[in-house]
Amino acid sequence: MTTYKPRVISLTKNPGQTFGFYLRVERNEEGHLIRCLEMGGPAELAGMKDGDRILRVNGTFVDGLPHSEVVELVRNGGASVTFHILDESSYKQAKALGVNLSDPQSTLMTNGVAKETPKPKLCYLVKSSSGYGFSLRSVKGEQGLFMAEVVAGGVADNAGVRNEDRLLEVNGENIANSTHDEVVEKIKLGGGSVMFLLVDKETDRFHRNKKAKIGSWSATVKFLPLQPRIVNMTKGSNGYGFLLREERHFIRDIDKGSPAEKAGLRDMDRVVTVNGKEVDRCTHEQVVDRVKQGGNKCCFLVVDKATDQMYKQGKISPMLFWNEMKDSNSPPSYNEALNFPAPVQPSTNAKDRKEELRPKLCRMEKTPAGYGFHLNGIEGMNGQYITEVVKGGAADKAGLENDDIVIEVNGKNVEQSTHAEAVEIIRRSGNSLELLVASKNVYTQLKANGVTITPLLLGETPRGKARSAGPPEPNRKEIQEMTEEEARPETPPHREKQRTPSVSSSSSSSSEGSVDERL
């Protein structure tokens, strides 16, 4: 049985101090949200996280109360207030399942582990000389078509397809009422590639029990080989250093050495969101205004031509990626990781301690499914974390683990780099990648001792000590991005370009459609 257990956090502040967080309500978000945690403030030190929802204030259930009443309850609590808090993903799952959070006994643990609502998956396949590597079959007494004979290491397998997955859509078209032959024909019409919407048995059963519809709007995009990019920029003395074309909000003429180039913006990227707001239906002038409204910072979600084409083939929006990133249960922030107490270790001799406090140097070769991990950065902060390591993938074989802190990428230290800068270094690495990482505990202890973390701590030359995932199998083909010339449509004649000032704001500090109070 799934239960939801809030965390109980008591905060105390000194006269003239705040608790060190903002209490917000936001458009399209349920609940009273914790935002803008002050680093080293009472709230952060007590374990509050960005996106947490407040359920109770000094024992009073507040989830359904107006924002102003919750603020007053906190303020009237004086110097000490006790909060009941639920993390973001648990709160959203509880709401989706209709759980009564006012019940003090209802509290999201499944065998002690948070469990998210299962999602269908989008899988993109590019045909090789031996085909896609799967078969379709029907099952007596069950509706639909199912994946079968998925070849290990083949195109389908590498794309995330598994035996007994049920097929829901082909290139964005629902196939519920299609015959086997009609589905095969739809796949053939895709040419050398195809986008599938699939659901495994557990996810299918979950949605059937809830009598909930399944569609691409609720799918995970983590299996897709190409993804949109989040680009954070800070305006320089000459602006951001790019032009925004009126036609579909394309980026052009990026100045060398400009904030745009340093942040990883590329010529012919298409802007999907500005500071978290979708701009597909906005005019050119509206997009420029949104950039200006951000002041000296700007956050873009962009897609290059190849990524844009892949998403269009599946008739899905890049906003799926944005929403999944936003809704994911993020690992601790950079500063939180540094403040984790080191676990008590049994006494060992000096040599053993030195061997334990070592980073890891992990080398890997890209496969058609990519490296098999996500790089997670906290917007507005430096520091990167490894998440969603795919079991059996290149990263897993190279020794990467979830929540590893990234220190170097291809020999370059990224501890003070932005997320966009670290991503760009990875993108430029081609098909080989070398990461120097450390677990949170190792990182914390080394930093506490004033140790600079470099490959020299491994005791050998980096190449001799690195764990390697090995090259991909020779018959695997990687999806190639379009070249710059292929991706550049002709500029319409007499089109006046507008130099766009740039801006960036964290999703937690955006004021449009939200109400917040500093507490």
Side-chain angles (χ1 to χ4, degrees):
M1 180 179 177
T2 301
T3 56
Y4 294 79
K5 185 171 184 178
R7 308 187 319 271
V8 180
I9 293 179
S10 294
L11 299 182
T12 300
K13 62 181 180 180
N14 295 322
Q17 271 191 330
T18 68
F19 289 125
F21 70 92
Y22 276 82
L23 180 62
R24 301 182 59 126
V25 291
E26 297 177 358
R27 182 181 298 169
N28 299 324
E29 293 283 354
E30 290 188 276
H32 302 282
L33 290 79
I34 301 295
R35 292 295 195 199
C36 303
L37 287 158
E38 177 187 324
M39 291 304 161
E44 193 226 13
L45 294 176
M48 282 189 177
K49 303 286 192 302
D50 186 78
D52 282 349
R53 265 55 166 193
I54 292 180
L55 300 183
R56 293 178 180 274
V57 176
N58 287 335
T60 301
F61 183 71
V62 300
D63 190 52
L65 294 181
H67 179 69
S68 58
E69 291 185 27
V70 182
V71 171
E72 283 306 306
L73 279 172
V74 176
R75 286 178 173 165
N76 293 336
S80 295
V81 177
T82 298
F83 300 91
H84 283 63
I85 290 171
L86 200 59
D87 68 86
E88 183 173 13
S89 72
S90 300
Y91 180 87
K92 289 186 174 182
Q93 183 178 349
K95 286 292 186 179
L97 297 176
V99 174
N100 180 13
L101 293 174
S102 65
D103 180 356
Q105 298 302 317
S106 65
T107 60
L108 168 59
M109 311 270 300
T110 302
N111 297 328
V113 178
K115 189 179 177 77
E116 294 183 358
T117 301
K119 296 180 177 181
K121 58 187 175 183
L122 287 158
C123 299
Y124 183 68
L125 288 66
V126 178
K127 188 186 291 184
S128 71
S129 57
S130 56
Y132 288 122
F134 73 91
S135 297
L136 281 175
R137 66 179 176 85
S138 56
V139 176
K140 189 175 181 180
E142 293 191 42
Q143 183 183 6
L145 296 172
F146 296 82
M147 295 293 170
E149 300 177 21
V150 177
V151 178
V155 170
D157 182 44
N158 290 329
V161 178
R162 298 294 177 262
N163 283 316
E164 299 187 16
D165 283 348
R166 184 162 71 92
L167 181 60
L168 304 178
E169 292 181 6
V170 175
N171 290 330
E173 293 186 35
N174 188 287
I175 56 93
N177 298 316
S178 300
T179 66
H180 183 281
D181 289 342
E182 287 171 340
V183 172
V184 170
E185 187 61 27
K186 289 180 188 291
I187 294 172
K188 288 180 179 179
L189 288 174
S193 62
V194 64
M195 179 80 79
F196 287 151
L197 178 66
L198 300 163
V199 62
D200 60 30
K201 280 190 171 182
E202 179 187 356
T203 307
D204 205 7
R205 188 183 307 113
F206 176 87
H207 285 81
R208 286 177 190 273
N209 289 341
K210 297 295 176 184
K211 296 181 180 178
K213 290 185 177 180
I214 307 177
S216 58
W217 64 83
S218 63
T220 178
V221 298
K222 67 181 181 182
F223 293 99
L224 297 182
L226 303 174
Q227 296 290 9
R229 308 190 319 276
I230 296 173
V231 178
N232 291 293
M233 298 173 287
T234 301
K235 188 189 293 185
S237 56
N238 295 319
Y240 292 111
F242 68 89
L243 292 177
L244 182 67
R245 277 183 54 176
E246 290 188 35
E247 182 190 3
R248 299 191 66 235
H249 316 315
F250 283 111
I251 300 296
R252 292 303 302 265
D253 299 342
I254 299 172
D255 296 339
K256 189 171 181 61
S258 65
E261 183 189 51
K262 291 178 181 177
L265 204 60
R266 299 175 187 169
D267 193 61
M268 288 309 300
D269 278 343
R270 183 172 71 84
V271 180
V272 179
T273 71
V274 175
N275 296 330
K277 304 294 188 297
E278 192 172 6
V279 297
D280 256 4
R281 294 184 174 86
C282 293
T283 65
H284 176 73
E285 290 73 21
Q286 287 172 329
V287 176
V288 172
D289 284 343
R290 286 192 177 179
V291 172
K292 290 179 179 178
Q293 288 168 10
N296 292 323
K297 292 182 178 294
C298 187
C299 176
F300 282 170
L301 180 72
V302 300
V303 287
D304 59 28
K305 184 175 181 180
T307 306
D308 208 10
Q309 288 178 337
M310 182 192 69
Y311 270 73
K312 284 178 180 176
Q313 184 169 344
K315 297 181 174 64
I316 53 175
S317 167
M319 289 300 293
L320 278 176
F321 170 84
W322 177 264
N323 292 330
E324 189 166 11
M325 289 287 289
K326 183 180 67 174
D327 293 343
S328 64
N329 197 9
S330 300
S333 69
Y334 190 79
N335 288 38
E336 286 168 345
L338 298 185
N339 290 324
F340 275 146
V344 177
Q345 300 285 354
S347 60
T348 56
N349 60 47
K351 181 179 178 181
D352 288 339
R353 281 200 303 271
K354 183 178 179 181
E355 288 177 349
E356 289 172 355
L357 295 181
R358 285 180 173 177
K360 299 178 292 186
L361 191 62
C362 305
R363 291 206 313 271
M364 61 205 82
E365 300 290 329
K366 187 185 286 185
T367 73
Y371 291 117
F373 73 92
H374 282 191
L375 186 68
N376 196 310
I378 307 301
E379 188 175 331
M381 298 182 62
N382 298 327
Q384 320 299 325
Y385 300 88
I386 300 297
T387 63
E388 297 187 34
V389 176
V390 177
K391 189 169 181 61
D396 182 43
K397 293 177 181 177
L400 280 184
E401 298 176 274
N402 286 329
D403 292 346
D404 278 347
I405 297 173
V406 181
I407 300 152
E408 290 183 5
V409 178
N410 293 335
K412 180 178 176 59
N413 188 284
V414 295
E415 290 176 274
Q416 297 302 315
S417 299
T418 65
H419 181 69
E421 289 168 345
V423 168
E424 185 59 23
I425 297 172
I426 293 174
R427 288 186 181 277
R428 291 176 179 173
S429 68
N431 294 327
S432 299
L433 182 63
E434 185 176 273
L435 298 180
L436 182 69
V437 302
S439 69
K440 289 184 293 189
N441 290 330
V442 169
Y443 189 91
T444 303
Q445 293 184 65
L446 288 175
K447 286 295 182 179
N449 293 329
V451 177
T452 301
I453 305 176
T454 73
L456 296 176
L457 295 179
L458 298 171
E460 299 181 20
T461 59
R463 293 289 173 180
K465 195 69 179 178
R467 289 185 60 185
S468 175
E473 296 175 14
N475 63 341
R476 296 185 181 177
K477 292 186 177 181
E478 182 174 357
I479 300 170
Q480 298 295 326
E481 292 188 0
M482 297 289 182
T483 65
E484 186 176 10
E485 289 303 316
E486 290 173 321
R488 183 179 294 149
E490 285 186 324
T491 304
H494 310 299
R495 179 74 72 182
E496 183 178 352
K497 297 177 180 178
Q498 179 168 351
R499 176 69 65 181
T500 306
S502 21
V503 289
S504 157
S505 79
S506 154
S507 60
S508 64
S509 59
S510 172
S511 60
E512 184 177 337
S514 67
V515 182
D516 60 355
E517 294 286 344
R518 181 167 173 76
L519 297 166

